[in-house]
C-alpha cells in the first residue's frame, strides 16, 4: 500500500479480458500511489463510475483539509 495521489479514470483492458464472458462490459481504472499505479477492474460502467467518483471525492476532501491547515 501507499499514499493515494490520484485516480486514473480510464486505462486499457488487460490483455485477453475481453474474451471472457461479460468481458466487453468490464471497465478499468487506476489508483496512482507513491509506489506506482494499482489497476482495478469493474464489472460494468455503473460500478466504474461509482468507484471513480467516490475516490475523486475523497481525494478532493483530503486536499481541502490539507489546504485549510
Amino acid at each position: 500500500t501507499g499514499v493515494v495521489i490520484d485516480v486514473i479514470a480510464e486505462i486499457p483492458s488487460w490483455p485477453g479480458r475481453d474474451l471472457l464472458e461479460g468481458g466487453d462490459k468490464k471497465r478499468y481504472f487506476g489508483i496512482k500511489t507513491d509506489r506506482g499505479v494499482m489497476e482495478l477492474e469493474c464489472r460494468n460502467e455503473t460500478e466504474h463510475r461509482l468507484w471513480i467518483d467516490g475516490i475523486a471525492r475523497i481525494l478532493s476532501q483530503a486536499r481541502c483539509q490539507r489546504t485549510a491547515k
Side-chain angles (χ1 to χ4, degrees):
T1 62
V3 177
V4 175
I5 299 168
D6 200 6
V7 62
I8 304 166
E10 299 291 335
I11 61 170
S13 66
W14 304 333
R17 293 301 280 177
D18 58 329
L19 303 174
L20 299 175
E21 185 177 337
D24 58 330
K25 293 182 175 71
K26 294 189 185 298
R27 298 289 307 275
Y28 303 85
F29 70 98
I31 297 176
K32 185 176 180 182
T33 73
D34 58 343
R35 296 184 181 189
V37 176
M38 180 174 27
E39 297 180 354
L40 296 117
E41 177 183 78
C42 296
R43 291 177 279 201
N44 54 47
E45 174 67 31
T46 303
E47 185 177 271
H48 180 263
R49 183 54 36 209
L50 286 170
W51 276 103
I52 297 300
D53 290 348
I55 294 167
R57 190 176 315 113
I58 290 168
L59 288 172
S60 176
Q61 290 171 352
R63 288 181 186 117
C64 286
Q65 288 179 354
R66 231 181 338 173
T67 306
K69 289 183 179 182

